[in-house]
Amino acid sequence: MSFQKKFAIVIGVFAVLVIAWISIEFESGEVPFISVGELIENHDQFTQSRFRMGGNVDEGSISYSEDKLTVNFVLRQGEDLLPVTYLSAEIPDLFKDEAEVIVEGKYLDGVFQADNLMTKCASRYDEEANYQPLTEG
Amino acid sequence: MYALLGNSLLTISFIFTIYGLIATLLNIRNKDDRFLRSAKVAFISSSVMILGSALALIHELMVSNFDIEYVAKYTSAETPAMFKFSGLWAGMEGSLLFWLSILSLYFIFVILQNRTRHPKLMPWVIFTLGVIQIFFLVMSNFFENPFTLIPDGMIVTGRGLNPLLQHWAMLIHPPLLYLGFIGFAVPFAFAMSAIITRNLDAVWIQTTRRWTLVTWILLTLAVVLGGKWAYVELGWGGYWAWDPVENASLLPWLTGTAYLHSVLIQEKKNMLRLWNMILIMLTFTLTIFGTYLTRSGVVSSVHAFAATDLGVWFFGFIILIISVNIFLLILRRKDLKSDNRLESFVSRESGFLFNNMLFVAMMLAVLWGTMYPIFSEAVSGYKITVGSPYFNRIMVPLGLILLALTGIGPLLAWRKTSPRSLRRNFLWPVVTGLVTAALWGVLYDVKLIYPLLSAALIVFVMATISMEFYRGVKARKRITGENVFKAFFSMIDKNRSRYGGYVVHVGIVMMFAGFTGKAFDKEADLSMMPGEVRTLRNYEIVYQDYWFESSETNPGTRSNHVAKVISLDINKDGSHFDDMKPEKRFYTDQDNQPHSNVAVKTTLNEDFYVVLGDVDLDTGRATLKVRINSMVTWVWLGTLVLLLGTLISINIEEFFRRKTR
């Protein structure tokens, strides 16, 4: 077999291995976005994995620990409610009643343990959120 | 008046570029040089007009003419002057005009630099650049015109620049990035010309070698600066988040670096002609793709501009580029066949090829991780995210293999390395690498396998590079009798490419040392009352005081925001280390948008990093995040060494000497 062929085979095998490895890592690295209802219905399926959820902060549900590092609240999506706990020195400033949030983490014993909390804010580059006209006409 | 001027220049430029394209085609058809001269004049004129248009926009930004919608959207009367200037690239319309401006600068340069050279190549080179220019002119003239006026009768105050962007890096990172990105259009244009005119020997590569190096270093600096900016500004403690737009800037860098290496083979051995052509086509396409990703609304990210119709047009342009490229590759496949063949695994050629495979694999992995979530949501509505863990798990091992190759490659001979040569070159470096691995295993947790491998490989590569310098100086001394210093510098001078390359690799090794430090980072979330003390490793954090600042208390520095500040006394190993004052700002001209100003104290081996979450001004309770970031400085220092190595390779003095002859 010529060297060219040998080299091509080696490259080919290497390529197949790398692609397979990337696919496996990718699948295990996927963080699915699921609905609160889905979680409540099939909660035993979700105990090991990480996932993301979105919804609104249920009014009046926010409570902070005494040292202010942990916040507990209820995530509401449609009719479904889910208690969430999040520990961080940096609670987003836009986090308040009815705020739209995305949480990422794991589900344990009926409570969502979030390690990431994001609030939605109006995009600074939004076409619509322009300027405030002082006068018109 | 300036708006009208800017707008008109943009429109006339469009007409001149159209003419230039037609004239170039006529020259190619009729071989009449007058058409080519006329086309060059047209392209230079349109480029100058584009620059004039950009200057007009800058003028309106600096005087805060809020009749222009763009000026109102991205600046306010209180915006500091330098950020009024950077408003040029802060928003969509301006950034497109800026893109055009950089392209125009390059276009003028390429035409003038080659006015007596490469007569066979130049027509298609300027045609290609003209096509790129016309696309962006269409976008600017018809879709995203920066000179649009606000509706009649309205008076507005400017919005102001997003506080996240009010940092000196805003003046440098975007321009550098554009210079790097757009620079790849030039080797691409030469490649297109080479393939169309069938001049597929190494001439087109030699001509663009210096250009490719310059554009590559500019892109590298831009990407690293972006990381540094994120590190000091965004407060999450890292410098790379695998954000879709970060990835978009990395993709052309990966294939661009592969291209930099593989063209060396074509120059020396006239091999890999097809592969080099594919690489530069891919790199250029990825730069347009990156430009597209930030403007299409397809990804949401710290960087992304808002969603617009532009996305569809860019997508179409990318499809056009890919189609034309594939067509040309198929059409010229016989001309692209190389004469020389690979002969052995232990050859420099094969080393370069493995290098290329790895870069392409990295590019594909990053591309997949970035685009799959988008496809998935578009096709099935099923939303997923792919975070840092995936990217790191793929990129770290691939990066380590590349690091190993950095040491191995240069010591392999062309065609085939003899076993004797292998022993002679690799024995000592391999031994030092193994010794390092053993020492590491004793000092640190062996389970941290990647840091161990990284440390061993860093030492291995440094050993191979040192050996090369040592042998080179020794040989030169023997021949010329010069002393060590003279021999060292004249050795480098006589072979800029090679030794410049080694210096670049030293920079890479330093950056890897910085990356490896991440394994030793530590962070903590703290809640403290004034007077309390906390510890993190060998640091002691003492919370001293807290207060409020506004434009009333500090009129000079707090003109567009108010701030909650805390002061911390930091002690390290028992003695005083620093006084740190992290703060939380609220930008008054941006609906009180909050922003944490990070406090960082840098030393060579680690950074001490503090972010203020919040401080209750009644009780004084502060929540803060403290981090120890190991070895971060090595990333920035390594980049500077990389720059030095590239400057050596480019042979910048020779470039200027030639100009003055």
Side-chain angles (χ1 to χ4, degrees):
Chain A
M1 201 194 292
S2 79
F3 181 76
Q4 314 303 315
K5 286 219 183 65
K6 260 194 271 177
F7 196 83
I9 291 175
V10 169
I11 297 285
V13 169
F14 180 70
V16 167
L17 287 173
V18 168
I19 291 172
W21 171 49
I22 290 176
S23 315
I24 295 171
E25 286 291 3
F26 188 80
E27 286 209 33
S28 67
E30 272 183 35
V31 178
F33 201 107
I34 63 174
S35 70
V36 176
E38 233 182 291
L39 173 66
I40 293 175
E41 257 185 64
N42 313 305
H43 61 90
D44 27 296
Q45 275 180 33
F46 287 108
T47 43
Q48 284 310 304
S49 46
R50 286 179 66 77
F51 47 94
R52 277 194 180 190
M53 296 194 299
N56 294 78
V57 178
D58 203 33
E59 191 164 340
S61 69
I62 299 177
S63 75
Y64 288 92
S65 62
E66 206 197 304
D67 62 2
K68 299 288 205 132
L69 284 180
T70 307
V71 64
N72 298 303
F73 66 99
V74 174
L75 182 72
R76 188 193 69 237
Q77 191 176 45
E79 297 290 312
D80 303 306
L81 302 170
L82 179 71
V84 179
T85 182
Y86 176 58
L87 186 146
S88 170
E90 299 166 270
I91 313 282
D93 286 276
L94 292 166
F95 178 74
K96 53 190 175 204
D97 281 339
E98 296 302 324
E100 211 179 321
V101 298
I102 294 178
V103 290
E104 188 176 325
K106 292 188 162 167
Y107 181 69
L108 196 63
D109 296 328
V111 177
F112 189 80
Q113 319 273 344
D115 49 42
N116 202 358
L117 172 72
M118 294 162 274
T119 47
K120 222 175 184 186
C121 68
S123 159
R124 293 334 293 203
Y125 302 109
D126 216 329
E127 291 289 314
E128 290 87 59
N130 275 338
Y131 34 80
Q132 297 84 52
L134 287 180
T135 63
E136 280 190 54
Chain B
M1 190 219 107
Y2 280 90
L4 183 61
L5 178 67
N7 210 347
S8 316
L9 286 173
L10 212 52
T11 311
I12 303 171
S13 164
F14 175 72
I15 298 168
F16 269 66
T17 304
I18 296 268
Y19 171 76
L21 288 169
I22 297 172
T24 311
L25 284 175
L26 285 170
N27 161 261
I28 290 166
R29 200 157 168 278
N30 302 349
K31 308 283 178 229
D32 188 342
D33 268 343
R34 287 176 301 175
F35 280 125
L36 187 64
R37 272 202 298 276
S38 171
K40 287 183 185 178
V41 169
F43 284 131
I44 292 182
S45 308
S46 69
S47 299
V48 169
M49 281 188 266
I50 286 170
L51 291 169
S53 183
L55 286 172
L57 184 58
I58 290 172
H59 175 272
E60 298 295 67
L61 284 162
M62 297 310 291
V63 303
S64 290
N65 181 358
F66 295 128
D67 285 336
I68 299 179
E69 200 175 0
Y70 185 78
V71 178
K73 267 204 257 183
Y74 298 108
T75 63
S76 70
E78 300 91 46
T79 303
M82 63 176 174
F83 296 123
K84 285 185 182 176
F85 181 83
S86 66
L88 176 62
W89 50 79
M92 175 81 74
E93 302 92 328
S95 76
L96 283 174
L97 182 54
F98 187 58
W99 212 104
L100 267 169
S101 305
I102 304 288
L103 180 68
S104 299
L105 280 170
Y106 284 150
F107 207 167
I108 297 171
F109 195 86
V110 167
I111 293 177
L112 293 178
Q113 190 190 37
N114 294 289
R115 60 189 179 282
T116 54
R117 298 199 280 176
H118 306 302
K120 281 185 278 182
L121 289 175
M122 285 317 285
W124 282 110
V125 169
I126 65 174
F127 185 81
T128 307
L129 290 173
V131 168
I132 301 169
Q133 193 178 60
I134 202 73
F135 172 75
F136 280 89
L137 277 169
V138 167
M139 295 297 109
S140 265
N141 270 295
F142 302 113
F143 294 98
E144 300 286 335
N145 193 321
F147 298 103
T148 309
L149 300 171
I150 57 161
D152 248 341
M154 273 193 164
I155 301 170
V156 296
T157 62
R159 228 166 174 254
L161 186 65
N162 188 323
L164 271 176
L165 299 177
Q166 294 194 26
H167 182 277
W168 59 262
M170 181 59 180
L171 274 306
I172 306 184
H173 166 68
L176 266 181
L177 194 72
Y178 282 60
L179 282 167
F181 252 41
I182 300 165
F184 278 109
V186 174
F188 173 72
F190 274 89
M192 296 307 299
S193 182
I195 198 174
I196 292 172
T197 61
R198 299 167 113 153
N199 282 298
L200 287 162
D201 53 18
V203 169
W204 72 270
I205 286 184
Q206 280 160 354
T207 296
T208 52
R209 180 211 287 159
R210 197 178 253 138
W211 194 281
T212 306
L213 271 172
V214 171
T215 218
W216 177 85
I217 189 64
L218 290 170
L219 184 57
T220 308
L221 290 171
V223 171
V224 174
L225 184 59
K228 179 138 207 330
W229 189 8
Y231 179 67
V232 301
E233 189 74 16
L234 294 178
W236 57 277
Y239 44 83
W240 193 264
W242 300 109
D243 175 84
V245 171
E246 282 175 341
N247 296 346
S249 71
L250 189 65
L251 294 172
W253 185 90
L254 289 168
T255 54
T257 311
Y259 176 71
L260 253 182
H261 287 87
S262 73
V263 294
L264 287 170
I265 308 188
Q266 184 164 345
E267 279 194 59
K268 283 255 158 52
K269 303 243 117 194
N270 207 18
M271 286 168 68
L272 299 184
R273 288 159 23 140
L274 174 63
W275 179 243
N276 284 330
M277 193 56 75
I278 293 175
L279 270 180
I280 185 62
M281 287 173 173
L282 200 50
T283 304
F284 174 71
T285 310
L286 286 169
T287 64
I288 303 293
F289 180 71
T291 312
Y292 155 75
L293 215 55
T294 43
R295 288 167 175 76
S296 61
V298 156
V299 292
S300 55
S301 135
V302 173
H303 283 92
F305 299 95
T308 61
D309 301 318
L310 273 199
V312 178
W313 286 97
F314 264 91
F315 190 73
F317 188 46
I318 292 170
I319 297 293
L320 176 70
I321 295 170
I322 295 176
S323 314
V324 168
N325 285 344
I326 293 178
F327 171 73
L328 286 170
L329 286 171
I330 295 176
L331 186 70
R332 298 286 190 239
R333 65 192 179 285
K334 291 214 185 63
D335 298 283
L336 284 166
K337 266 190 178 347
S338 307
D339 311 316
N340 284 326
R341 300 224 155 283
L342 263 177
E343 292 178 46
S344 158
F345 280 114
V346 283
S347 65
R348 194 172 292 183
E349 297 94 314
S350 113
F352 275 120
L353 265 173
F354 275 121
N355 153 311
N356 273 209
M357 301 284 118
L358 285 163
F359 274 117
V360 171
M362 285 167 122
M363 185 276 286
L364 290 172
V366 173
L367 185 64
W368 184 249
T370 310
M371 296 308 292
Y372 182 81
I374 298 165
F375 286 143
S376 165
E377 186 172 350
V379 169
S380 67
Y382 183 58
K383 271 200 267 204
I384 56 158
T385 46
V386 180
S388 295
Y390 157 77
F391 288 104
N392 288 329
R393 278 205 295 271
I394 302 280
M395 299 297 275
V396 168
L398 289 179
L400 287 176
I401 302 176
L402 262 178
L403 183 61
L405 271 178
T406 312
I408 299 171
L411 294 180
L412 294 173
W414 292 105
R415 296 180 62 193
K416 194 185 172 101
T417 319
S418 68
R420 185 171 156 273
S421 223
L422 283 172
R423 256 199 314 276
R424 189 170 151 264
N425 287 337
F426 290 112
L427 183 63
W428 186 67
V430 168
V431 165
T432 55
L434 289 171
V435 166
T436 310
L439 275 173
W440 186 278
V442 165
L443 289 170
Y444 301 107
D445 189 357
V446 183
K447 272 190 255 101
L448 296 172
I449 187 73
Y450 284 143
L452 185 152
L453 281 174
S454 186
L457 286 170
I458 285 172
V459 171
F460 168 72
V461 176
M462 284 309 296
T464 61
I465 296 177
S466 314
M467 238 170 59
E468 280 288 278
F469 274 98
Y470 172 73
R471 285 200 193 140
V473 171
K474 213 167 91 164
R476 194 165 170 81
K477 276 187 66 181
R478 216 184 313 126
I479 298 170
T480 65
E482 288 163 338
N483 68 55
V484 172
F485 291 112
K486 197 154 192 301
F488 182 76
F489 286 110
S490 42
M491 167 190 78
I492 294 178
D493 195 38
K494 291 277 177 272
N495 205 332
R496 292 271 181 150
S497 213
R498 177 182 190 156
Y499 290 100
Y502 287 151
V503 175
V504 170
H505 286 171
V506 170
I508 295 282
V509 165
M510 289 170 71
M511 291 177 82
F512 264 88
F515 302 149
T516 310
K518 283 194 139 307
F520 298 93
D521 288 352
K522 191 144 176 74
E523 85 170 12
D525 292 274
L526 305 174
S527 174
M528 299 173 77
M529 292 295 284
E532 284 181 355
V533 180
R534 298 276 190 279
T535 51
L536 186 69
R537 283 220 186 112
N538 55 336
Y539 291 88
E540 192 183 61
I541 303 132
V542 185
Y543 179 11
Q544 303 278 36
D545 199 2
Y546 63 99
W547 65 89
F548 182 78
E549 286 184 16
S550 69
S551 55
E552 285 166 10
T553 59
N554 304 68
T557 49
R558 307 283 185 195
S559 54
N560 63 348
H561 62 275
V562 300
K564 294 184 190 177
V565 190
I566 66 169
S567 73
L568 302 167
D569 203 3
I570 313 289
N571 300 314
K572 183 175 176 182
D573 296 320
S575 51
H576 181 72
F577 180 63
D578 197 28
D579 295 307
M580 299 180 82
K581 297 191 181 63
E583 51 184 62
K584 195 74 179 284
R585 294 185 179 184
F586 300 87
Y587 283 86
T588 45
D589 59 354
Q590 304 274 326
D591 302 321
N592 290 323
Q593 182 183 324
H595 174 61
S596 285
N597 257 55
V598 175
V600 192
K601 172 77 176 158
T602 301
T603 62
L604 187 60
N605 289 340
E606 58 193 17
D607 279 10
F608 195 77
Y609 188 97
V610 184
V611 184
L612 177 64
D614 197 12
V615 56
D616 186 330
L617 291 173
D618 298 318
T619 63
R621 175 168 293 282
T623 50
L624 50 145
K625 185 179 288 239
V626 293
R627 277 187 70 97
I628 299 173
N629 289 319
S630 295
M631 301 292 282
V632 180
T633 308
W634 287 80
V635 178
W636 322 131
L637 289 176
T639 311
L640 291 175
V641 172
L642 221 137
L643 173 62
L644 175 65
T646 311
L647 288 173
I648 295 173
S649 286
I650 295 173
N651 202 345
I652 201 96
E653 309 102 79
E654 186 219 51
F655 177 74
F656 284 113
R657 250 184 281 140
R658 259 207 277 136
K659 294 256 125 182
T660 57
R661 203 173 292 158

